[in-house]
């Protein structure tokens, strides 16, 4: 019943009440993935193409005031979970200052970040103080040479050191995201799982998605995670489990331990019927589906003097057109942009 209530916030001493965001299929939109840059300090083989230079110019990025205004507006419409992403969010200068602004916005109850953790050692303490609740770290291998191959030269040691810093500071919970690829890292699941279990991190395996040319070429390495789960069940007693704020992952607890493993299966078992998310690119384009090219240029309206009511109307119009489901299995050519352009 509470979902039918208005969301109430106080802004400049006036109460702002807006209806929750519900799309035409009855899905409540409560989660915004907010990209702060499309640049990244890694070149994962399934993401930004090697040699790619055509990044969004920094003066086109939403500035922190614009981001805060949009987040405030989304929060008034019931979007309570904001995840900062990219590109790599930690390459955006003063990102901790943005975190401290967003963490105090009424209605934002969960502020998280997806990062490759290369620079996290430097930022961890500042992010914690600024109010970051949760962290997802991408880690496709714990073998240094393999990690470097997958990420285009990334140094595994930096990531592992950063994770220790974050853990020691008590930033958490920490989830480790691992894109599983046939013949690349699919033999490493038990090792990564043991690494995570020893540190109280939750491992989540992800199927590769055909987004952009890089994502499409990675489809030859696609692994159905159902087969991985069955394989793992021979070694571990996996008990279905529920995690709060689980999002699209299906979780299993490993019997006899506190560890969990999650499976994110956009290809073999999509979860579009429960999709509650939106994505905002660093230049202020709103995407309502990772598998759809339609975008809504919020920045243009923001910068041409639209008031919040007009912006709200635009956002609602976009949400009304949110597709029922992606077409990754039936139309692989559909999504031109690679993940880092949208915000993964
Ligand atoms: N740099 C941050 C990070 O590493 O988490 C945030 C951005 S990154 C684009 C977000 C996530 O998208 C990462 O976990 C990455 O592995 C995943 N990703 C990128 N391209 C993908 C693809 N084609 N299929 C599946 N996952 C992908």
């Amino acid at each position: 019943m509470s979902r039918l209530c208005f969301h109430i916030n106080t802004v400049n001493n006036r109460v702002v009440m807006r209806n929750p965001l519900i799309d035409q299929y009855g899905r409540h939109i409560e989660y915004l993935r907010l990209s702060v840059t499309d640049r990244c300090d890694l070149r994962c083989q399934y993401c930004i193409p090697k040699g790619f230079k055509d990044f969004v110019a920094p003066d086109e990025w939403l500035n922190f005031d614009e981001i805060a205004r949009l987040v405030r507006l989304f929060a008034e419409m019931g979007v309570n979970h904001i995840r900062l992403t990219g590109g790599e969010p930690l390459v955006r200068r003063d990102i901790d200052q943005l975190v401290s602004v967003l963490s105090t916005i009424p209605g934002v109850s969960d502020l998280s970040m997806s990062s490759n953790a290369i620079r996290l050692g430097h930022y961890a303490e500042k992010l914690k103080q600024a109010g970051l609740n949760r962290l997802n770290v991408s880690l496709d291998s714990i073998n240094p040479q393999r990690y470097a191959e997958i990420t285009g030269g990334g140094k595994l040691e930096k990531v592992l050191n950063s994770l220790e810093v974050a853990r020691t500071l008590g930033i958490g919970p920490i989830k480790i995201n691992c894109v599983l690829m046939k013949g690349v890292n699919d033999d490493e699941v038990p090792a990564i799982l043991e690494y995570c279990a020893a540190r109280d991190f939750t491992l989540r395996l992800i199927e590769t998605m055909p987004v952009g040319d890089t994502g499409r070429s990675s489809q030859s390495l696609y692994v159905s995670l159902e087969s991985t789960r069955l394989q793992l069940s021979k070694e571990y007693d996996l008990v279905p489990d529920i995690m709060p704020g689980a999002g699209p992952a299906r979780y299993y607890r490993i019997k006899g331990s506190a560890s969990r493993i999650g499976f994110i299966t956009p290809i073999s078992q999509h979860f579009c019927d429960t999709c509650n998310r939106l994505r905002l690119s660093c230049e202020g384009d709103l995407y309502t589906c990772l598998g759809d090219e339609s975008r809504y240029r919020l920045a243009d309206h923001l910068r041409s003097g639209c008031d919040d009511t007009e912006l709200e109307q635009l956002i609602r119009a976009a949400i009304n057109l949110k597709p029922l489901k992606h077409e990754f299995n039936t139309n692989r050519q559909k999504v031109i942009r690679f993940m880092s352009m949208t915000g993964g």
Side-chain angles (χ1 to χ4, degrees):
M1 288 303 284
S2 64
R3 285 173 167 242
L4 297 177
C5 292
F6 290 103
H7 294 272
I8 301 173
N9 288 321
T10 305
V11 176
N12 299 333
N13 292 327
R14 71 196 164 87
V15 174
V16 179
M17 300 163 68
R18 299 180 199 272
N19 278 319
L21 290 171
I22 304 174
D23 77 0
Q24 59 171 314
Y25 303 107
R27 295 173 294 193
H28 289 247
I29 310 300
E30 295 166 328
Y31 179 0
L32 178 67
R33 290 208 171 181
L34 204 163
S35 172
V36 292
T37 174
D38 58 344
R39 294 166 197 238
C40 188
D41 41 5
L42 295 180
R43 287 292 175 274
C44 297
Q45 60 186 70
Y46 46 73
C47 195
I48 302 178
K50 278 202 186 86
F52 181 83
K53 296 250 179 326
D54 201 12
F55 293 103
V56 175
D59 59 2
E60 286 180 44
W61 294 349
L62 292 177
N63 65 37
F64 288 177
D65 287 341
E66 290 168 331
I67 292 175
R69 180 176 165 196
L70 286 173
V71 168
R72 202 165 281 122
L73 183 60
F74 277 111
E76 287 168 11
M77 295 187 278
V79 176
N80 51 32
H81 180 183
I82 308 292
R83 172 175 296 282
L84 298 176
T85 184
E88 170 51 39
L90 297 182
V91 305
R92 176 102 186 229
R93 194 180 302 154
D94 298 328
I95 187 69
D96 53 308
Q97 290 177 21
L98 179 66
V99 171
S100 61
V101 171
L102 300 186
S103 66
T104 59
I105 290 181
V108 175
S109 55
D110 195 0
L111 181 61
S112 60
M113 180 180 283
S114 289
S115 170
N116 60 33
I118 292 280
R119 297 170 193 225
L120 180 65
H122 170 71
Y123 268 113
E125 183 146 23
K126 289 182 186 169
L127 291 172
K128 184 180 159 78
Q129 278 169 9
L132 190 78
N133 295 127
R134 297 197 283 127
L135 194 59
N136 286 2
V137 170
S138 302
L139 183 62
D140 294 342
S141 174
I142 52 169
N143 171 314
Q145 196 185 332
R146 202 180 259 183
Y147 181 82
E149 280 161 19
I150 296 171
T151 59
K155 300 256 183 297
L156 178 67
E157 198 188 347
K158 286 190 180 173
V159 178
L160 300 186
N161 288 342
S162 290
L163 280 165
E164 283 313 310
V165 174
R167 190 168 75 97
T168 310
L169 285 169
I171 295 186
I174 295 178
K175 292 181 184 150
I176 301 294
N177 286 339
C178 171
V179 176
L180 209 62
M181 292 167 282
K182 191 169 26 188
V184 176
N185 61 354
D186 57 342
D187 59 342
E188 250 193 273
V189 178
I192 302 178
L193 186 56
E194 303 287 340
Y195 164 82
C196 291
R199 291 161 183 80
D200 249 349
F201 302 154
T202 296
L203 174 62
R204 299 170 353 142
L205 303 176
I206 305 175
E207 291 176 347
T208 65
M209 286 175 264
V211 286
D213 285 344
T214 41
R216 265 186 288 283
S217 37
S218 73
Q219 291 306 286
S220 58
L221 309 172
Y222 167 78
V223 178
S224 161
L225 291 182
E226 183 55 11
S227 58
T228 308
R229 189 182 68 78
L230 292 174
Q231 190 62 33
L232 279 176
S233 311
K234 293 180 189 161
E235 264 181 77
Y236 302 92
D237 201 349
L238 301 179
V239 184
D241 197 15
I242 292 169
M243 256 184 111
R250 276 175 299 119
Y251 284 97
Y252 293 81
R253 195 167 45 78
I254 297 161
K255 205 169 179 180
S257 95
S259 305
R260 291 191 182 94
I261 182 167
F263 297 84
I264 302 182
T265 56
I267 307 297
S268 64
Q269 216 180 328
H270 75 75
F271 32 82
C272 302
D273 51 340
T274 57
C275 181
N276 64 352
R277 63 190 60 185
L278 299 172
R279 287 179 162 84
L280 188 64
S281 73
C282 62
E283 74 267 49
D285 291 344
L286 185 69
Y287 291 92
T288 60
C289 173
L290 188 57
D292 192 57
E293 285 290 343
S294 309
R295 61 181 175 154
Y296 305 87
R297 311 217 56 177
L298 293 190
D300 290 351
H301 296 278
L302 199 68
R303 289 170 185 166
S304 66
C306 262
D307 66 18
D308 282 0
T309 306
E310 290 164 304
L311 279 172
E312 178 182 355
Q313 280 165 1
L314 280 165
I315 291 166
R316 289 192 188 281
I319 282 160
N320 233 9
L321 296 172
K322 181 174 165 72
L324 178 59
K325 56 188 171 70
H326 67 64
E327 296 167 35
F328 289 154
N329 289 316
T330 50
N331 187 0
R332 285 206 175 156
Q333 304 308 316
K334 187 168 177 183
V335 181
I336 299 159
R337 58 189 203 278
F338 49 82
M339 190 74 94
S340 189
M341 293 169 94
T342 323

